[in-house]
Amino acid sequence: MTAPRGAVTSLPARRWPRRLAIFLVVAVLVIVPTGGRLYSFPHTDTLADGETVDAILALGGRTETALYAQQLVEQGGASVLIVSDPYPTDDPDFQPVHDLCASKPTDYQLICFRPDPMTTRGEARELGRLAQENDWDRVGVVAAKYHISRTRSIVDRCYPGTLLMIEAPLSIRPLNWTYQYVRQTLGYVKVALQDGC
């Protein structure tokens, strides 16, 4: 018996699990190898002994990122430390960043800002603005390993100078890696849909 003309037919219920399984296998086969190169083994830069940049930006997201960027600046890697501080003021996990931003270092210039929007794009825009204002032609950006590749693609849109993407030494749990593969992949889709800085 055939369905009447114009009627909507649906697949038998037993085909959906199979199609979903095929989709998931294809997604894993695409995301894992690509994600491995982009998230687990990204191209990173380092500051060699005696090498300097005009400024080092610590992306928001992890307290350890800000503290590592501070360490690099205090070791002579730059004369300016820029810290993105999108964190809630009442969250004790981020108190070290708030304390850093409240400090008054004498050996280097400290610039803290709240990104607008509160995303990597907002951080890249502020870096681009500061670089233009201060004639910086070489900057470093400190980020978590899984965020390096996507950050590079975003910052490149806002900053035309030499960019060093520096990996913060973080301990990342396996479950967080799974989450980051999904999050960073969705983030790449968002970047692809956005124009300019």
Side-chain angles (χ1 to χ4, degrees):
M1 180 177 173
T2 59
R5 181 181 284 232
V8 177
T9 59
S10 61
L11 291 172
R14 66 179 180 269
R15 288 191 187 172
W16 283 109
R18 181 174 159 217
R19 288 187 178 210
L20 178 60
I22 291 170
F23 170 78
L24 291 174
V25 167
V26 170
V28 166
L29 290 175
V30 170
I31 291 174
V32 170
T34 304
R37 186 177 57 80
L38 294 174
Y39 315 138
S40 299
F41 305 101
H43 168 72
T44 59
D45 303 296
T46 57
L47 281 175
D49 287 341
E51 185 180 11
T52 63
V53 291
D54 295 312
I56 293 178
L57 165 64
L59 291 189
R62 303 285 299 253
T63 297
E64 299 91 338
T65 303
L67 298 180
Y68 184 63
Q70 178 188 24
Q71 179 183 331
L72 291 174
V73 170
E74 289 178 344
Q75 291 171 350
S79 58
V80 181
L81 172 61
I82 311 165
V83 178
S84 173
D85 185 7
Y87 311 109
T89 55
D90 58 348
D91 189 331
D93 289 341
F94 300 114
Q95 192 59 46
V97 177
H98 301 315
D99 291 344
L100 171 59
C101 285
S103 70
K104 302 198 182 306
T106 56
D107 297 338
Y108 58 88
Q109 181 184 1
L110 173 64
I111 300 171
C112 290
F113 70 98
R114 189 172 182 82
D116 180 26
M118 283 199 292
T119 63
T120 306
R121 190 179 197 191
E123 294 168 327
R125 285 176 174 172
E126 182 64 11
L127 176 62
R129 186 190 71 76
L130 288 168
Q132 184 175 23
E133 190 177 279
N134 294 282
D135 293 322
W136 295 336
D137 57 12
R138 183 175 165 83
V139 300
V141 175
V142 177
K145 178 188 279 192
Y146 50 73
H147 197 25
I148 293 273
S149 295
R150 188 164 66 90
T151 297
R152 188 187 300 274
S153 68
I154 295 169
V155 174
D156 276 344
R157 294 180 175 189
C158 301
Y159 172 68
T162 301
L163 174 64
L164 276 68
M165 289 301 308
I166 303 167
E167 175 190 342
L170 303 173
S171 176
I172 304 169
R173 297 181 177 146
L175 188 59
N176 192 21
W177 273 116
T178 303
Y179 167 72
Q180 290 300 337
Y181 265 59
V182 174
R183 181 174 184 225
Q184 298 302 323
T185 300
L186 293 175
Y188 263 111
V189 172
K190 183 178 176 183
V191 169
L193 297 174
Q194 293 173 333
D195 290 325
C197 178

PDB file of all heavy atoms in Angstrom, residues 8-39:
ATOM      1  N   VAL A   8       3.242  12.972   4.173  1.00  0.00           N
ATOM      2  CA  VAL A   8       4.603  12.920   4.699  1.00  0.00           C
ATOM      3  C   VAL A   8       4.835  11.529   5.272  1.00  0.00           C
ATOM      4  O   VAL A   8       4.069  11.046   6.088  1.00  0.00           O
ATOM      5  CB  VAL A   8       4.803  13.984   5.798  1.00  0.00           C
ATOM      6  CG1 VAL A   8       6.195  13.866   6.398  1.00  0.00           C
ATOM      7  CG2 VAL A   8       4.583  15.375   5.248  1.00  0.00           C
ATOM      8  N   THR A   9       5.882  10.886   4.779  1.00  0.00           N
ATOM      9  CA  THR A   9       6.191   9.559   5.296  1.00  0.00           C
ATOM     10  C   THR A   9       7.370   9.672   6.243  1.00  0.00           C
ATOM     11  O   THR A   9       8.225  10.535   6.094  1.00  0.00           O
ATOM     12  CB  THR A   9       6.550   8.590   4.151  1.00  0.00           C
ATOM     13  OG1 THR A   9       7.678   9.120   3.461  1.00  0.00           O
ATOM     14  CG2 THR A   9       5.377   8.407   3.201  1.00  0.00           C
ATOM     15  N   SER A  10       7.445   8.841   7.229  1.00  0.00           N
ATOM     16  CA  SER A  10       8.560   8.864   8.166  1.00  0.00           C
ATOM     17  C   SER A  10       9.298   7.542   8.093  1.00  0.00           C
ATOM     18  O   SER A  10       8.732   6.520   7.713  1.00  0.00           O
ATOM     19  CB  SER A  10       8.053   9.116   9.595  1.00  0.00           C
ATOM     20  OG  SER A  10       7.188   8.080   9.969  1.00  0.00           O
ATOM     21  N   LEU A  11      10.563   7.595   8.445  1.00  0.00           N
ATOM     22  CA  LEU A  11      11.367   6.381   8.466  1.00  0.00           C
ATOM     23  C   LEU A  11      10.898   5.493   9.609  1.00  0.00           C
ATOM     24  O   LEU A  11      10.473   5.986  10.650  1.00  0.00           O
ATOM     25  CB  LEU A  11      12.836   6.725   8.672  1.00  0.00           C
ATOM     26  CG  LEU A  11      13.530   7.428   7.524  1.00  0.00           C
ATOM     27  CD1 LEU A  11      14.914   7.859   7.961  1.00  0.00           C
ATOM     28  CD2 LEU A  11      13.623   6.520   6.318  1.00  0.00           C
ATOM     29  N   PRO A  12      10.959   4.220   9.422  1.00  0.00           N
ATOM     30  CA  PRO A  12      10.642   3.347  10.541  1.00  0.00           C
ATOM     31  C   PRO A  12      11.538   3.680  11.726  1.00  0.00           C
ATOM     32  O   PRO A  12      12.687   4.072  11.571  1.00  0.00           O
ATOM     33  CB  PRO A  12      10.953   1.940   9.996  1.00  0.00           C
ATOM     34  CG  PRO A  12      10.901   2.079   8.509  1.00  0.00           C
ATOM     35  CD  PRO A  12      11.301   3.485   8.203  1.00  0.00           C
ATOM     36  N   ALA A  13      10.994   3.521  12.906  1.00  0.00           N
ATOM     37  CA  ALA A  13      11.708   3.897  14.129  1.00  0.00           C
ATOM     38  C   ALA A  13      13.062   3.205  14.252  1.00  0.00           C
ATOM     39  O   ALA A  13      13.999   3.768  14.794  1.00  0.00           O
ATOM     40  CB  ALA A  13      10.839   3.582  15.347  1.00  0.00           C
ATOM     41  N   ARG A  14      13.197   1.990  13.730  1.00  0.00           N
ATOM     42  CA  ARG A  14      14.449   1.263  13.897  1.00  0.00           C
ATOM     43  C   ARG A  14      15.592   1.840  13.063  1.00  0.00           C
ATOM     44  O   ARG A  14      16.753   1.535  13.299  1.00  0.00           O
ATOM     45  CB  ARG A  14      14.248  -0.217  13.583  1.00  0.00           C
ATOM     46  CG  ARG A  14      13.901  -0.510  12.141  1.00  0.00           C
ATOM     47  CD  ARG A  14      13.739  -2.013  11.928  1.00  0.00           C
ATOM     48  NE  ARG A  14      13.399  -2.306  10.563  1.00  0.00           N
ATOM     49  CZ  ARG A  14      12.164  -2.407  10.102  1.00  0.00           C
ATOM     50  NH1 ARG A  14      11.140  -2.231  10.917  1.00  0.00           N
ATOM     51  NH2 ARG A  14      11.934  -2.675   8.829  1.00  0.00           N
ATOM     52  N   ARG A  15      15.317   2.695  12.072  1.00  0.00           N
ATOM     53  CA  ARG A  15      16.386   3.276  11.253  1.00  0.00           C
ATOM     54  C   ARG A  15      17.073   4.447  11.953  1.00  0.00           C
ATOM     55  O   ARG A  15      18.213   4.756  11.650  1.00  0.00           O
ATOM     56  CB  ARG A  15      15.837   3.735   9.909  1.00  0.00           C
ATOM     57  CG  ARG A  15      15.497   2.584   8.998  1.00  0.00           C
ATOM     58  CD  ARG A  15      15.220   3.086   7.610  1.00  0.00           C
ATOM     59  NE  ARG A  15      14.738   2.012   6.759  1.00  0.00           N
ATOM     60  CZ  ARG A  15      14.282   2.195   5.549  1.00  0.00           C
ATOM     61  NH1 ARG A  15      14.221   3.408   5.055  1.00  0.00           N
ATOM     62  NH2 ARG A  15      13.867   1.184   4.823  1.00  0.00           N
ATOM     63  N   TRP A  16      16.388   5.123  12.861  1.00  0.00           N
ATOM     64  CA  TRP A  16      16.973   6.291  13.509  1.00  0.00           C
ATOM     65  C   TRP A  16      18.202   5.948  14.338  1.00  0.00           C
ATOM     66  O   TRP A  16      19.215   6.657  14.240  1.00  0.00           O
ATOM     67  CB  TRP A  16      15.922   7.027  14.356  1.00  0.00           C
ATOM     68  CG  TRP A  16      15.001   7.831  13.497  1.00  0.00           C
ATOM     69  CD1 TRP A  16      13.697   7.587  13.232  1.00  0.00           C
ATOM     70  CD2 TRP A  16      15.339   8.992  12.741  1.00  0.00           C
ATOM     71  NE1 TRP A  16      13.189   8.518  12.366  1.00  0.00           N
ATOM     72  CE2 TRP A  16      14.180   9.404  12.046  1.00  0.00           C
ATOM     73  CE3 TRP A  16      16.505   9.737  12.568  1.00  0.00           C
ATOM     74  CZ2 TRP A  16      14.152  10.512  11.207  1.00  0.00           C
ATOM     75  CZ3 TRP A  16      16.468  10.844  11.734  1.00  0.00           C
ATOM     76  CH2 TRP A  16      15.304  11.224  11.067  1.00  0.00           C
ATOM     77  N   PRO A  17      18.180   4.921  15.158  1.00  0.00           N
ATOM     78  CA  PRO A  17      19.402   4.596  15.926  1.00  0.00           C
ATOM     79  C   PRO A  17      20.590   4.304  15.012  1.00  0.00           C
ATOM     80  O   PRO A  17      21.720   4.699  15.305  1.00  0.00           O
ATOM     81  CB  PRO A  17      19.000   3.368  16.743  1.00  0.00           C
ATOM     82  CG  PRO A  17      17.515   3.458  16.866  1.00  0.00           C
ATOM     83  CD  PRO A  17      17.059   4.081  15.572  1.00  0.00           C
ATOM     84  N   ARG A  18      20.315   3.631  13.911  1.00  0.00           N
ATOM     85  CA  ARG A  18      21.400   3.299  12.980  1.00  0.00           C
ATOM     86  C   ARG A  18      21.981   4.568  12.349  1.00  0.00           C
ATOM     87  O   ARG A  18      23.196   4.727  12.260  1.00  0.00           O
ATOM     88  CB  ARG A  18      20.867   2.350  11.914  1.00  0.00           C
ATOM     89  CG  ARG A  18      21.932   1.930  10.933  1.00  0.00           C
ATOM     90  CD  ARG A  18      21.395   0.882   9.975  1.00  0.00           C
ATOM     91  NE  ARG A  18      22.209   0.857   8.795  1.00  0.00           N
ATOM     92  CZ  ARG A  18      21.772   0.677   7.579  1.00  0.00           C
ATOM     93  NH1 ARG A  18      20.493   0.462   7.371  1.00  0.00           N
ATOM     94  NH2 ARG A  18      22.589   0.671   6.564  1.00  0.00           N
ATOM     95  N   ARG A  19      21.113   5.458  11.923  1.00  0.00           N
ATOM     96  CA  ARG A  19      21.589   6.705  11.305  1.00  0.00           C
ATOM     97  C   ARG A  19      22.319   7.585  12.319  1.00  0.00           C
ATOM     98  O   ARG A  19      23.325   8.216  11.992  1.00  0.00           O
ATOM     99  CB  ARG A  19      20.422   7.467  10.684  1.00  0.00           C
ATOM    100  CG  ARG A  19      19.929   6.775   9.436  1.00  0.00           C
ATOM    101  CD  ARG A  19      18.904   7.580   8.727  1.00  0.00           C
ATOM    102  NE  ARG A  19      18.521   6.859   7.512  1.00  0.00           N
ATOM    103  CZ  ARG A  19      18.130   7.437   6.417  1.00  0.00           C
ATOM    104  NH1 ARG A  19      18.037   8.731   6.366  1.00  0.00           N
ATOM    105  NH2 ARG A  19      17.815   6.720   5.366  1.00  0.00           N
ATOM    106  N   LEU A  20      21.821   7.601  13.544  1.00  0.00           N
ATOM    107  CA  LEU A  20      22.492   8.365  14.585  1.00  0.00           C
ATOM    108  C   LEU A  20      23.878   7.784  14.864  1.00  0.00           C
ATOM    109  O   LEU A  20      24.863   8.522  15.003  1.00  0.00           O
ATOM    110  CB  LEU A  20      21.654   8.370  15.872  1.00  0.00           C
ATOM    111  CG  LEU A  20      22.271   9.111  17.063  1.00  0.00           C
ATOM    112  CD1 LEU A  20      22.501  10.578  16.732  1.00  0.00           C
ATOM    113  CD2 LEU A  20      21.370   8.972  18.288  1.00  0.00           C
ATOM    114  N   ALA A  21      23.984   6.471  14.897  1.00  0.00           N
ATOM    115  CA  ALA A  21      25.273   5.813  15.128  1.00  0.00           C
ATOM    116  C   ALA A  21      26.249   6.138  13.993  1.00  0.00           C
ATOM    117  O   ALA A  21      27.432   6.431  14.248  1.00  0.00           O
ATOM    118  CB  ALA A  21      25.082   4.302  15.257  1.00  0.00           C
ATOM    119  N   ILE A  22      25.781   6.119  12.767  1.00  0.00           N
ATOM    120  CA  ILE A  22      26.637   6.453  11.618  1.00  0.00           C
ATOM    121  C   ILE A  22      27.109   7.903  11.721  1.00  0.00           C
ATOM    122  O   ILE A  22      28.283   8.209  11.507  1.00  0.00           O
ATOM    123  CB  ILE A  22      25.895   6.198  10.286  1.00  0.00           C
ATOM    124  CG1 ILE A  22      25.697   4.697  10.082  1.00  0.00           C
ATOM    125  CG2 ILE A  22      26.655   6.814   9.120  1.00  0.00           C
ATOM    126  CD1 ILE A  22      24.782   4.351   8.927  1.00  0.00           C
ATOM    127  N   PHE A  23      26.190   8.798  12.065  1.00  0.00           N
ATOM    128  CA  PHE A  23      26.549  10.213  12.215  1.00  0.00           C
ATOM    129  C   PHE A  23      27.618  10.393  13.291  1.00  0.00           C
ATOM    130  O   PHE A  23      28.594  11.121  13.096  1.00  0.00           O
ATOM    131  CB  PHE A  23      25.314  11.045  12.562  1.00  0.00           C
ATOM    132  CG  PHE A  23      25.646  12.457  12.957  1.00  0.00           C
ATOM    133  CD1 PHE A  23      25.945  13.407  11.985  1.00  0.00           C
ATOM    134  CD2 PHE A  23      25.683  12.838  14.286  1.00  0.00           C
ATOM    135  CE1 PHE A  23      26.284  14.703  12.342  1.00  0.00           C
ATOM    136  CE2 PHE A  23      26.023  14.122  14.661  1.00  0.00           C
ATOM    137  CZ  PHE A  23      26.306  15.061  13.680  1.00  0.00           C
ATOM    138  N   LEU A  24      27.452   9.723  14.425  1.00  0.00           N
ATOM    139  CA  LEU A  24      28.409   9.847  15.514  1.00  0.00           C
ATOM    140  C   LEU A  24      29.779   9.303  15.133  1.00  0.00           C
ATOM    141  O   LEU A  24      30.812   9.901  15.470  1.00  0.00           O
ATOM    142  CB  LEU A  24      27.885   9.139  16.770  1.00  0.00           C
ATOM    143  CG  LEU A  24      26.682   9.811  17.446  1.00  0.00           C
ATOM    144  CD1 LEU A  24      26.170   8.949  18.587  1.00  0.00           C
ATOM    145  CD2 LEU A  24      27.041  11.199  17.936  1.00  0.00           C
ATOM    146  N   VAL A  25      29.806   8.185  14.413  1.00  0.00           N
ATOM    147  CA  VAL A  25      31.085   7.616  13.974  1.00  0.00           C
ATOM    148  C   VAL A  25      31.788   8.576  13.017  1.00  0.00           C
ATOM    149  O   VAL A  25      32.993   8.842  13.144  1.00  0.00           O
ATOM    150  CB  VAL A  25      30.865   6.233  13.308  1.00  0.00           C
ATOM    151  CG1 VAL A  25      32.123   5.787  12.578  1.00  0.00           C
ATOM    152  CG2 VAL A  25      30.462   5.204  14.356  1.00  0.00           C
ATOM    153  N   VAL A  26      31.048   9.143  12.070  1.00  0.00           N
ATOM    154  CA  VAL A  26      31.635  10.093  11.123  1.00  0.00           C
ATOM    155  C   VAL A  26      32.141  11.331  11.875  1.00  0.00           C
ATOM    156  O   VAL A  26      33.246  11.824  11.608  1.00  0.00           O
ATOM    157  CB  VAL A  26      30.616  10.484  10.027  1.00  0.00           C
ATOM    158  CG1 VAL A  26      31.136  11.651   9.203  1.00  0.00           C
ATOM    159  CG2 VAL A  26      30.315   9.290   9.133  1.00  0.00           C
ATOM    160  N   ALA A  27      31.335  11.821  12.817  1.00  0.00           N
ATOM    161  CA  ALA A  27      31.747  12.998  13.588  1.00  0.00           C
ATOM    162  C   ALA A  27      33.044  12.729  14.337  1.00  0.00           C
ATOM    163  O   ALA A  27      33.955  13.559  14.354  1.00  0.00           O
ATOM    164  CB  ALA A  27      30.638  13.405  14.560  1.00  0.00           C
ATOM    165  N   VAL A  28      33.138  11.570  14.955  1.00  0.00           N
ATOM    166  CA  VAL A  28      34.354  11.222  15.705  1.00  0.00           C
ATOM    167  C   VAL A  28      35.545  11.103  14.759  1.00  0.00           C
ATOM    168  O   VAL A  28      36.643  11.579  15.053  1.00  0.00           O
ATOM    169  CB  VAL A  28      34.147   9.913  16.509  1.00  0.00           C
ATOM    170  CG1 VAL A  28      35.470   9.371  17.007  1.00  0.00           C
ATOM    171  CG2 VAL A  28      33.196  10.157  17.672  1.00  0.00           C
ATOM    172  N   LEU A  29      35.339  10.485  13.588  1.00  0.00           N
ATOM    173  CA  LEU A  29      36.432  10.310  12.628  1.00  0.00           C
ATOM    174  C   LEU A  29      36.929  11.642  12.081  1.00  0.00           C
ATOM    175  O   LEU A  29      38.096  11.779  11.703  1.00  0.00           O
ATOM    176  CB  LEU A  29      35.997   9.398  11.480  1.00  0.00           C
ATOM    177  CG  LEU A  29      35.793   7.928  11.848  1.00  0.00           C
ATOM    178  CD1 LEU A  29      35.242   7.158  10.652  1.00  0.00           C
ATOM    179  CD2 LEU A  29      37.096   7.295  12.322  1.00  0.00           C
ATOM    180  N   VAL A  30      36.075  12.650  12.055  1.00  0.00           N
ATOM    181  CA  VAL A  30      36.483  13.971  11.571  1.00  0.00           C
ATOM    182  C   VAL A  30      37.055  14.810  12.714  1.00  0.00           C
ATOM    183  O   VAL A  30      38.124  15.406  12.589  1.00  0.00           O
ATOM    184  CB  VAL A  30      35.283  14.698  10.917  1.00  0.00           C
ATOM    185  CG1 VAL A  30      35.627  16.148  10.626  1.00  0.00           C
ATOM    186  CG2 VAL A  30      34.873  13.981   9.638  1.00  0.00           C
ATOM    187  N   ILE A  31      36.346  14.846  13.840  1.00  0.00           N
ATOM    188  CA  ILE A  31      36.732  15.734  14.937  1.00  0.00           C
ATOM    189  C   ILE A  31      38.013  15.292  15.628  1.00  0.00           C
ATOM    190  O   ILE A  31      38.875  16.110  15.935  1.00  0.00           O
ATOM    191  CB  ILE A  31      35.581  15.865  15.959  1.00  0.00           C
ATOM    192  CG1 ILE A  31      34.418  16.641  15.333  1.00  0.00           C
ATOM    193  CG2 ILE A  31      36.048  16.561  17.223  1.00  0.00           C
ATOM    194  CD1 ILE A  31      33.178  16.693  16.198  1.00  0.00           C
ATOM    195  N   VAL A  32      38.179  13.996  15.866  1.00  0.00           N
ATOM    196  CA  VAL A  32      39.341  13.544  16.637  1.00  0.00           C
ATOM    197  C   VAL A  32      40.661  13.852  15.936  1.00  0.00           C
ATOM    198  O   VAL A  32      41.548  14.472  16.525  1.00  0.00           O
ATOM    199  CB  VAL A  32      39.210  12.052  17.022  1.00  0.00           C
ATOM    200  CG1 VAL A  32      40.499  11.530  17.588  1.00  0.00           C
ATOM    201  CG2 VAL A  32      38.077  11.868  18.025  1.00  0.00           C
ATOM    202  N   PRO A  33      40.851  13.465  14.654  1.00  0.00           N
ATOM    203  CA  PRO A  33      42.141  13.798  14.026  1.00  0.00           C
ATOM    204  C   PRO A  33      42.352  15.305  13.870  1.00  0.00           C
ATOM    205  O   PRO A  33      43.441  15.812  14.134  1.00  0.00           O
ATOM    206  CB  PRO A  33      42.065  13.127  12.649  1.00  0.00           C
ATOM    207  CG  PRO A  33      40.960  12.141  12.735  1.00  0.00           C
ATOM    208  CD  PRO A  33      40.019  12.645  13.780  1.00  0.00           C
ATOM    209  N   THR A  34      41.317  16.018  13.450  1.00  0.00           N
ATOM    210  CA  THR A  34      41.445  17.462  13.283  1.00  0.00           C
ATOM    211  C   THR A  34      41.648  18.122  14.636  1.00  0.00           C
ATOM    212  O   THR A  34      42.502  18.979  14.798  1.00  0.00           O
ATOM    213  CB  THR A  34      40.192  18.034  12.599  1.00  0.00           C
ATOM    214  OG1 THR A  34      39.999  17.357  11.358  1.00  0.00           O
ATOM    215  CG2 THR A  34      40.323  19.517  12.348  1.00  0.00           C
ATOM    216  N   GLY A  35      40.842  17.697  15.613  1.00  0.00           N
ATOM    217  CA  GLY A  35      40.966  18.254  16.948  1.00  0.00           C
ATOM    218  C   GLY A  35      42.314  17.961  17.566  1.00  0.00           C
ATOM    219  O   GLY A  35      42.861  18.782  18.297  1.00  0.00           O
ATOM    220  N   GLY A  36      42.866  16.785  17.272  1.00  0.00           N
ATOM    221  CA  GLY A  36      44.180  16.461  17.805  1.00  0.00           C
ATOM    222  C   GLY A  36      45.220  17.468  17.374  1.00  0.00           C
ATOM    223  O   GLY A  36      46.032  17.942  18.178  1.00  0.00           O
ATOM    224  N   ARG A  37      45.205  17.822  16.109  1.00  0.00           N
ATOM    225  CA  ARG A  37      46.168  18.788  15.586  1.00  0.00           C
ATOM    226  C   ARG A  37      45.893  20.200  16.119  1.00  0.00           C
ATOM    227  O   ARG A  37      46.812  20.937  16.454  1.00  0.00           O
ATOM    228  CB  ARG A  37      46.114  18.808  14.056  1.00  0.00           C
ATOM    229  CG  ARG A  37      47.183  19.674  13.412  1.00  0.00           C
ATOM    230  CD  ARG A  37      47.130  19.604  11.908  1.00  0.00           C
ATOM    231  NE  ARG A  37      45.847  19.976  11.354  1.00  0.00           N
ATOM    232  CZ  ARG A  37      45.433  21.235  11.176  1.00  0.00           C
ATOM    233  NH1 ARG A  37      46.206  22.235  11.530  1.00  0.00           N
ATOM    234  NH2 ARG A  37      44.259  21.497  10.647  1.00  0.00           N
ATOM    235  N   LEU A  38      44.621  20.565  16.230  1.00  0.00           N
ATOM    236  CA  LEU A  38      44.273  21.918  16.649  1.00  0.00           C
ATOM    237  C   LEU A  38      44.296  22.110  18.162  1.00  0.00           C
ATOM    238  O   LEU A  38      44.685  23.173  18.651  1.00  0.00           O
ATOM    239  CB  LEU A  38      42.885  22.293  16.129  1.00  0.00           C
ATOM    240  CG  LEU A  38      42.738  22.409  14.614  1.00  0.00           C
ATOM    241  CD1 LEU A  38      41.287  22.650  14.245  1.00  0.00           C
ATOM    242  CD2 LEU A  38      43.620  23.524  14.075  1.00  0.00           C
ATOM    243  N   TYR A  39      43.863  21.102  18.902  1.00  0.00           N
ATOM    244  CA  TYR A  39      43.673  21.286  20.343  1.00  0.00           C
ATOM    245  C   TYR A  39      44.743  20.604  21.198  1.00  0.00           C
ATOM    246  O   TYR A  39      45.223  21.183  22.164  1.00  0.00           O
ATOM    247  CB  TYR A  39      42.293  20.768  20.774  1.00  0.00           C
ATOM    248  CG  TYR A  39      41.174  21.192  19.851  1.00  0.00           C
ATOM    249  CD1 TYR A  39      40.170  20.308  19.487  1.00  0.00           C
ATOM    250  CD2 TYR A  39      41.118  22.480  19.327  1.00  0.00           C
ATOM    251  CE1 TYR A  39      39.144  20.695  18.634  1.00  0.00           C
ATOM    252  CE2 TYR A  39      40.097  22.874  18.467  1.00  0.00           C
ATOM    253  CZ  TYR A  39      39.117  21.973  18.125  1.00  0.00           C
ATOM    254  OH  TYR A  39      38.108  22.347  17.279  1.00  0.00           O
TER     255      TYR A  39
END
